Amino acid sequence: MHVDPTNDPVANAAKLIDTAASDHALRPSIAGFFDEATNTVSYVVHDPVSMEAAIIDSVLDYEAASGRTSFGSAERIIEYVTSKNLKVTWLIETHAHADHLSAAPFLQEELGGKLAIGEGIIRVQEVFGKLFNAGSDFERDGSQFDHLFTDGETFRLGELEGIALHVPGHTPADMAYIIGDAAFVGDTIFMPDFGTARADFPGGDARQLFQSIRRLLSLPRETRLFLCHDYKAPGRDDYAWETTVGQQRDANVHVRDGVSEDEFVAMRTERDRVLAMPNLIMPSVQVNIRGGRLPEPEDNGVSYIKIPVNAV
C-alpha cells in the first residue's frame, strides 16, 4: 500500500491496517519479552519474507542499590534474533522511558540497525538537561539517535510498511508505530482493565493524552495493540500486553467510548496526584535522553548518575 504524506496520518495508518488485515503476507511476526523487574515489554517485530526486524523498547538491567548494569534482558533478545536469522534494521524507542534504561546501544553494537525515536525528544532533552545540570557538552538536538521520526512519517521493515504517529501526553515525545496490522503504542494506554498512562511528568498533559488515545482508537477495531507495560489489574493473575482497538473502545476503564475529555482529565489529574515517582526515574531518564548511553565518564573513568535533591 502506498501512503500519501499529504493525507491525514491516521487515515494512512488505517489504510495500512486494512490492507494487512486482508493479506496475511503483510502482517508482521511479533515476539514479546516481558521484564518483570520493570513491568516492561520489549518487542522483536519482523517481516516473514525478508526477515528484517525492528527491536522496540529494549531493557538494560540496572541494580539501583549497587549502580550496576547487566545484559540479561538484552541477551534474551539477541538469542531470539540469532536463532531466527533475523537482520535488525531498526532499534526503536516509543519515548524516553522513566521506568527502565534502554539497551539499544548494546543491541546496536551486537546486531546493527538504526536507533530511532520521535523528534519530540529534543524538548525532553531540554527539560531534563536543565534538571540534571547536564552542561553545554550535552547536545539537546537529538543527535544521540540515528533518526528522529516525525508525525505521519513512513518507514520500511523489509516488505512491510510502517507509519509513525505522534501521541504526546504521557511525555511530549511519545510515538506509536504502526507496522502492518499492529500498533506499538508505548505508554499511552494499558490493558482495558488497567486503564491509561500517567500524565504528570514534565511536559505531560492529560488533555493531550486523551486526544492522542482517541486518535489511536480511531484506527480499525481489529487493529492489534501491543503495550509497553502491564501491572496485572486487581483480579487478574497473569501479565498481558496485547489487546485490540475494539476491546479498548468497549472496555477500557479510563477511556472507553462514552468517557468525555473533561471526565478523563479530571480522573487522570486526581489519580496522578497520589502516584509515587517510578523507582528508576532518575537513572532512566538521564540515560535514555542520551539514547541509552551512560553519562560520559569523569576523570577517574567512572560514569555517574546524578540525583537532584528536592528538585521535583
Side-chain angles (χ1 to χ4, degrees):
M1 184 215 63
H2 175 71
V3 295
D4 182 350
T6 63
N7 289 343
D8 173 34
V10 177
N12 281 333
K15 292 177 186 176
L16 181 67
I17 291 162
D18 284 339
T19 301
S22 63
D23 185 348
H24 280 209
L26 298 177
R27 298 181 65 180
S29 295
I30 300 166
F33 298 83
F34 186 70
D35 176 57
E36 191 166 354
T38 62
N39 295 92
T40 302
V41 192
S42 305
Y43 296 99
V44 177
V45 189
H46 79 267
D47 167 29
V49 177
S50 69
M51 305 304 281
E52 286 191 16
I55 298 171
I56 301 176
D57 290 336
S58 61
V59 173
L60 176 68
D61 301 317
Y62 178 75
E63 171 54 53
S66 65
R68 298 198 67 86
T69 60
S70 57
F71 303 102
S73 295
E75 285 169 348
R76 289 170 58 207
I77 290 176
I78 293 172
E79 182 180 355
Y80 176 82
V81 167
T82 55
S83 71
K84 297 287 186 181
N85 293 316
L86 304 180
K87 178 186 177 183
V88 174
T89 55
W90 289 102
L91 299 138
I92 294 174
E93 302 289 340
T94 55
H95 63 295
H97 304 273
D99 40 38
H100 70 271
L101 283 65
S102 170
F106 173 73
L107 290 168
Q108 187 176 44
E109 184 176 335
E110 296 292 319
L111 300 171
K114 288 184 177 181
L115 174 56
I117 199 169
E119 64 176 351
I121 189 62
I122 296 170
R123 181 178 169 193
V124 176
Q125 288 176 329
E126 185 63 34
V127 170
F128 283 97
K130 291 178 181 177
L131 176 64
F132 293 120
N133 197 28
S136 58
D137 290 341
F138 173 57
E139 300 292 342
R140 296 161 170 83
D141 58 3
S143 58
Q144 299 85 351
F145 299 85
D146 299 314
H147 186 79
L148 302 182
F149 281 111
T150 59
D151 185 42
E153 182 177 352
T154 62
F155 61 99
R156 298 206 68 83
L157 190 62
E159 300 297 314
L160 305 180
E161 191 159 21
I163 297 178
L165 296 180
H166 187 211
V167 287
H170 175 62
T171 79
D174 279 65
M175 301 293 288
Y177 300 94
I178 287 79
I179 303 173
D181 68 330
F184 300 86
V185 298
D187 285 15
T188 54
I189 199 166
F190 300 136
M191 291 299 290
D193 58 358
F194 198 88
T196 59
R198 65 194 300 164
D200 61 330
F201 294 149
D205 185 287
R207 197 167 296 279
Q208 202 172 47
L209 178 62
F210 178 88
Q211 294 165 3
S212 292
I213 291 171
R214 295 312 305 183
R215 194 181 193 210
L216 289 170
L217 297 187
S218 70
L219 295 171
R221 287 181 61 89
E222 66 271 17
T223 306
R224 296 186 290 164
L225 302 181
F226 291 87
L227 317 179
C228 190
H229 296 288
D230 187 56
Y231 303 95
K232 288 198 296 191
R236 175 156 55 85
D237 295 328
D238 299 318
Y239 291 110
W241 49 81
E242 181 180 351
T243 178
T244 67
V245 164
Q247 289 167 348
Q248 295 284 4
R249 291 185 61 169
D250 292 342
N252 187 283
V253 294
H254 293 167
V255 73
R256 64 189 176 276
D257 287 357
V259 175
S260 73
E261 183 172 322
D262 286 342
E263 289 171 331
F264 175 82
V265 170
M267 177 282 301
R268 191 70 264 172
T269 302
E270 184 65 25
R271 183 176 174 86
D272 290 350
R273 191 174 289 127
V274 299
L275 292 178
M277 286 290 102
N279 291 334
L280 297 182
I281 185 170
M282 294 303 175
S284 294
V285 175
Q286 209 163 155
V287 168
N288 293 338
I289 60 175
R290 292 176 164 86
R293 299 171 186 86
L294 297 174
E296 286 296 316
E298 298 192 7
D299 55 11
N300 62 354
V302 177
S303 294
Y304 289 87
I305 299 291
K306 291 183 178 179
I307 306 295
V309 178
N310 298 326
V312 294

